[in-house]
Amino acid sequence: MAEVAQLLRKERDRTDAGRDRPATLPSPVYFAFLSYSHTDSGWGEWLHDSLEKFRVPSSIAGRLTPHGIVPKRLTPIFRDRKELAASSDLGAEIREALAASRFLIVLCSPAAAKSRWTNAEIDTFKRLRPDGAVLAAIVDGEPFASDLPGRESEECLPHALRVQYDRRGRPTPRRAEPLCTDLRDDRDGKRLGLLKLVAGMLGVGLDDLVQRETVRRQRRLAILAAASLAGMVVTTSLAIFALQSRDIARDQRREAESLVGFMLGDLRTKLEPLGRLDTLDAVGARALAYYQSQDKSELSDQSLTQRSKALTLMGEIANTRGDLGRALNLYREAYASTAEALRREPDNPQRLFDHAQNVFWVGEVAHQRGLMPEAEASMREYKRLADAMVAADPDNPKWKLEVKYSTTALGALLMEQRRYPEASAILQRSLETAETLAASDPTNLDYQKGLVESLAWLADSQFSEGRLDEAIAKRERQVATIDQMILKNPADAGIRERAISAHRALGRWLGIHGSLPEALEHQRKAVAVADELLPTEPGNMDWLQWAAGAQLDYASTLLQSGRVNEAAAQTRAACDRASRLTGERSEVAEWRSLAVNCLMKRSQVSLAGGAEEEALDLANRALDAARSRRRGEPVEIALQVAQALKLIGDVRARKGDRAGAQTAWLSALQKWPKQANEPTNLALQAELLVNLGRLAEARPLRAKLQSIGYRRMVN
């Protein structure tokens, strides 16, 4: 089902430069959540006040660390002031605060170790934010004393703090080694312990922070002494000079930032339809270079936003080139900037919008890597941010369009998890929003693109549910709309790339419906559009992937029509492109899936051409490749394994090895995932049952396929 998700990252072209879609984490509202037993409430009050009053040294503020951009203040810090003993669970307020906190700080003592609420808060934080950092501040007892016979009562670390959780937020048998400081006077003490906690949250070295604190205190004393000796004349002269310098610097910055804004706004809008990654990359790099020379702690909210847009643009380009590692680093850096801006103005719809784009992109990388729970959490957070935009400014059509994008993104992800009824319901709402916007302004290209994409997503979901006629009708409407858009905007690469997916899906479904000549024509068009696009930007890995997929679909219908030589040519070209993709990057799940499909298609072509030994070798290689996949949606991987086993059985049957064929077919049927209920997969399953002579089991499947108009049936 790779084609279902292929245009997700491209759906949201629009005139705003920061526009395109997140993070696996909710937007941080609190800098940290302070968890403690109410026995230690005195410590909790002191630490809460100390953290909120702490001022980060200006020489460190704005620095980029592994934890993001260092802020000026560590606010706000969430501290639960209520006694929870009467509650049956943590409650929605506490869970929401945990989900919205960047760090969890636990005050550790024997009382905390025995507190089920402190333990529950740690467990909830680790589950909701598996990559969040947990810091421990010891106020009494000893860590891991429970491992020492006779000293169990001294244990100060709650159980959940001593357990390592995996990337999906699930506890494992492995022991965790939390970052600890000891606030007691005979250990680190309050001041050093506080600095250790701050250093851990900011991602800076303790020595650096201590030295900066010392220098700051000394500088404050020196300034005070100097001020007492300075005369009024000197002070006045300096003030006049400073005002003049400030005005000059302000004018220069205003002019430079106006140029950067143009580069990331109007210029990007003009360049993007051309599909030239090198030019867009240069725009982002130049804009980012300007901000790299600035002191980030002195940047205004607007400057931080502009900088994040440059980072997001460069992340999108790296993503399109298949460099997920670099893309993710850029997205995360941009995410940190927009999260800070949103923290300052949580009800500002523009801040919500800017942050939502990075939330989407961080989640999209998780999606590309096959990490579906993280990706789904991102898309739900993206939708929450979009809904908040509309709530803050209901009449702005830009925010309504964002709701449409976020709804589509979530629906598409649910489709990939085979939750089709749920996906169709969400995607139907997305289509209704898109139709309303498109009707409100037929000349708005963004609205028309949004309508085209909503038709595609809902059609794909309806097909997977078995609603073939409805799906075909929506794809036909989509193709007709795209044809009109291309006539009016022939140079827009974004419209033409949508044509690849539209013609490809419609051709595949018409072939299933029994209309082979029409199917072949649409698939030929999909391949032709891809071949036209690729030379304009050879580094666009998305286009390369779509081109290879379109050729494999075309080859399937050519085989069904008996045109073996033409099918072989399309398969060779597709597999050459797939090899280039997997040679570039091995971490993209869809590319590994495409490589397995290439091996299976080559096997089918060889079998149709009479090269049975070659077909068997290729089928076995496809099985090995499918079994070795480590990334991707589990049902899709299991399905590829079963399909490769079925193909091995088909080849063995052609070779006259009936026993070997039966063994392979039976193994395929046993491994067939129950969730794979899409029409094409039901047809393959029915074919397996027929091959095994289990006609009674095949009959209801074939009857269901016939009832929805499925014509590509086995004999």
Side-chain angles (χ1 to χ4, degrees):
M1 193 187 303
E3 68 276 4
V4 169
Q6 290 193 344
L7 283 170
L8 182 59
R9 300 191 306 280
K10 297 295 181 181
E11 178 185 349
R12 304 167 340 115
D13 297 337
R14 68 182 78 101
T15 54
D16 189 287
R19 65 193 183 284
D20 279 41
R21 324 162 261 230
T24 61
L25 305 177
S27 301
V29 174
Y30 300 104
F31 195 84
F33 184 111
L34 182 54
S35 177
Y36 57 92
S37 164
H38 286 273
T39 302
D40 304 318
S41 58
W43 280 102
E45 184 175 352
W46 168 81
L47 184 55
H48 177 269
D49 292 343
S50 298
L51 288 171
E52 290 218 324
K53 291 176 181 177
F54 187 89
R55 296 183 62 86
V56 177
S58 59
S59 56
I60 294 177
R63 179 188 299 180
L64 178 62
T65 74
H67 294 176
I69 296 175
V70 175
K72 294 180 180 179
R73 301 294 295 269
L74 312 178
T75 56
I77 305 293
F78 184 93
R79 177 169 67 96
D80 175 40
R81 294 173 172 83
K82 297 188 299 296
E83 178 60 58
L84 296 176
S87 303
S88 60
D89 57 35
L90 289 180
E93 179 186 358
I94 299 299
R95 291 181 62 85
E96 289 172 4
L98 285 164
S101 299
R102 294 178 62 184
F103 300 92
L104 175 66
I105 302 173
V106 183
L107 283 177
C108 299
S109 68
K114 296 180 179 68
S115 169
R116 70 186 182 101
W117 299 118
T118 303
N119 192 75
E121 287 172 347
I122 300 168
D123 175 77
T124 300
F125 182 86
K126 287 188 171 185
R127 289 179 185 274
L128 292 175
R129 303 183 67 82
D131 59 348
V134 182
L135 299 97
I138 300 171
V139 297
D140 194 12
E142 294 298 328
F144 299 108
S146 55
D147 295 341
L148 305 174
R151 298 186 61 185
E152 292 85 350
S153 62
E154 298 177 46
E155 178 62 70
C156 66
L157 302 182
H159 176 73
L161 197 59
R162 290 177 273 136
V163 174
Q164 186 170 328
Y165 285 54
D166 64 20
R167 294 175 60 188
R168 296 188 179 183
R170 300 173 301 187
T172 71
R174 298 188 297 276
R175 189 168 91 167
E177 298 287 348
L179 299 172
C180 292
T181 186
D182 198 318
L183 300 175
R184 290 173 288 188
D185 291 337
D186 59 340
R187 307 294 173 88
D188 293 328
K190 286 185 175 180
R191 187 60 188 169
L192 182 58
L194 176 67
L195 291 179
K196 280 188 175 183
L197 287 174
V198 172
M201 290 188 287
L202 299 182
V204 300
L206 176 62
D207 289 344
D208 191 21
L209 191 61
V210 171
Q211 291 169 8
R212 300 292 182 181
E213 280 285 283
T214 302
V215 169
R216 186 167 66 178
R217 286 197 299 271
Q218 292 173 345
R219 183 182 299 156
R220 190 181 297 120
L221 292 173
I223 291 173
L224 192 60
S228 65
L229 299 174
M232 289 298 296
V233 175
V234 174
T235 303
T236 304
S237 300
L238 288 174
I240 294 172
F241 177 75
L243 287 171
Q244 292 173 338
S245 299
R246 184 198 63 187
D247 290 342
I248 294 172
R250 183 181 59 198
D251 291 341
Q252 290 175 338
R253 175 172 288 183
R254 184 184 296 118
E255 183 177 350
E257 293 198 357
S258 176
L259 178 59
V260 170
F262 166 75
M263 292 169 65
L264 295 173
D266 292 345
L267 181 59
R268 174 180 174 175
T269 301
K270 290 179 172 62
L271 292 174
E272 198 155 35
L274 304 178
R276 293 303 305 269
L277 300 183
D278 51 351
T279 307
L280 286 169
D281 206 358
V283 168
R286 290 293 297 274
L288 190 58
Y290 167 74
Y291 288 113
Q292 296 288 47
S293 65
Q294 307 294 313
D295 181 353
K296 298 181 186 63
S297 66
E298 299 299 324
L299 291 179
S300 65
D301 287 354
Q302 181 61 30
S303 297
L304 281 173
T305 300
Q306 295 271 66
R307 180 176 179 273
S308 75
K309 287 181 179 181
L311 288 163
T312 303
L313 171 59
M314 296 181 71
E316 291 174 40
I317 294 166
N319 198 329
T320 301
R321 286 174 170 156
D323 190 349
L324 296 190
R326 172 173 161 75
L328 183 59
N329 288 336
L330 289 163
Y331 292 148
R332 282 176 171 167
E333 190 175 348
Y335 177 94
S337 291
T338 51
E340 171 60 20
L342 180 60
R343 188 189 67 79
R344 297 176 188 177
E345 298 182 83
D347 298 323
N348 185 321
Q350 185 62 49
R351 296 287 178 262
L352 288 163
F353 173 86
D354 294 336
H355 189 53
Q357 313 315 302
N358 296 312
V359 169
F360 169 84
W361 283 110
V362 174
E364 173 57 14
V365 172
H367 165 235
Q368 289 175 271
R369 287 175 164 169
L371 304 174
M372 293 302 175
E374 290 89 334
E376 183 180 341
S378 296
M379 299 316 167
R380 291 194 182 278
E381 172 64 5
Y382 174 31
K383 185 177 183 304
R384 186 193 70 78
L385 291 168
D387 290 339
M389 295 173 213
V390 173
D393 186 6
D395 297 326
N396 191 325
K398 178 179 175 181
W399 312 145
K400 294 178 182 178
L401 191 60
E402 207 63 22
V403 169
K404 182 264 170 199
Y405 293 142
S406 63
T407 305
T408 301
L410 177 58
L413 207 64
L414 293 173
M415 283 180 60
E416 287 206 58
Q417 297 174 68
R418 290 177 162 79
R419 294 154 63 180
Y420 300 120
E422 188 180 353
S424 291
I426 290 175
L427 292 168
Q428 179 64 48
R429 293 198 294 272
S430 175
L431 176 59
E432 291 166 0
T433 302
E435 288 175 328
T436 300
L437 289 168
S440 69
D441 185 0
T443 64
N444 187 307
L445 189 58
D446 290 329
Y447 293 171
Q448 300 306 314
K449 287 179 178 178
L451 175 60
V452 161
E453 290 309 318
S454 289
L455 286 166
W457 293 117
L458 183 55
D460 287 350
S461 188
Q462 289 177 335
F463 170 78
S464 298
E465 283 189 276
R467 298 154 63 181
L468 182 56
D469 289 337
E470 294 176 71
I472 288 176
K474 286 183 175 61
R475 279 292 189 180
E476 287 176 336
R477 179 184 170 191
Q478 184 201 19
V479 166
T481 305
I482 287 174
D483 287 345
Q484 291 299 313
M485 293 169 68
I486 289 177
L487 286 175
K488 296 177 182 178
N489 306 274
D492 193 316
I495 299 174
R496 287 190 291 157
E497 69 182 18
R498 287 164 170 80
I500 301 173
S501 175
H503 284 294
R504 181 183 171 190
L506 184 54
R508 189 167 57 251
W509 297 347
L510 287 171
I512 286 171
H513 214 29
S515 305
L516 288 183
E518 294 177 66
L520 286 168
E521 179 59 20
H522 281 289
Q523 288 171 339
R524 184 196 63 76
K525 286 182 180 178
V527 172
V529 173
D531 287 342
E532 290 171 3
L533 271 180
L534 273 172
T536 65
E537 182 46 78
N540 192 317
M541 297 294 105
D542 286 338
W543 293 353
L544 191 65
Q545 177 188 347
W546 301 339
Q551 287 179 306
L552 288 182
D553 285 348
Y554 192 21
S556 294
T557 309
L558 288 168
L559 275 180
Q560 189 181 357
S561 304
R563 295 158 64 174
V564 177
N565 290 336
E566 294 173 76
Q570 291 295 328
T571 301
R572 281 194 299 272
C575 293
D576 286 344
R577 285 168 168 169
S579 295
R580 180 183 163 193
L581 285 167
T582 52
E584 291 279 343
R585 306 281 172 192
S586 62
E587 59 186 332
V588 181
E590 289 179 3
W591 297 355
R592 308 310 303 181
S593 175
L594 181 65
V596 176
N597 289 337
C598 263
L599 288 168
M600 288 197 281
K601 191 61 61 186
R602 287 174 60 194
S603 175
Q604 292 168 350
V605 169
S606 297
L607 186 61
E612 295 165 357
E613 290 297 334
E614 182 180 54
L616 183 59
D617 176 65
L618 288 165
N620 279 309
R621 287 169 57 189
L623 177 61
D624 291 340
R627 284 173 169 167
S628 67
R629 288 184 60 192
R630 294 293 178 267
R631 295 183 184 273
E633 201 268 321
V635 175
E636 187 262 339
I637 294 175
L639 185 59
Q640 277 198 324
V641 171
Q643 289 171 337
L645 285 166
K646 178 189 176 298
L647 181 56
I648 290 172
D650 294 344
V651 178
R652 289 197 176 280
R654 184 72 64 84
K655 287 168 60 66
D657 180 7
R658 187 66 185 173
Q662 291 280 318
T663 300
W665 287 333
L666 183 60
S667 181
L669 192 61
Q670 291 170 340
K671 293 185 180 299
W672 203 271
K674 294 179 180 179
Q675 303 95 321
N677 293 322
E678 301 83 0
T680 47
N681 294 328
L682 288 179
L684 289 172
Q685 191 176 7
E687 185 177 347
L688 272 174
L689 290 167
V690 170
N691 291 346
L692 290 166
R694 295 158 64 170
L695 301 181
E697 296 174 66
R699 197 171 294 118
L701 295 180
R702 300 180 70 185
K704 179 178 180 179
L705 291 167
Q706 287 174 335
S707 70
I708 66 172
Y710 199 106
R711 301 288 179 264
R712 190 186 295 172
M713 306 293 287
V714 296
N715 296 325

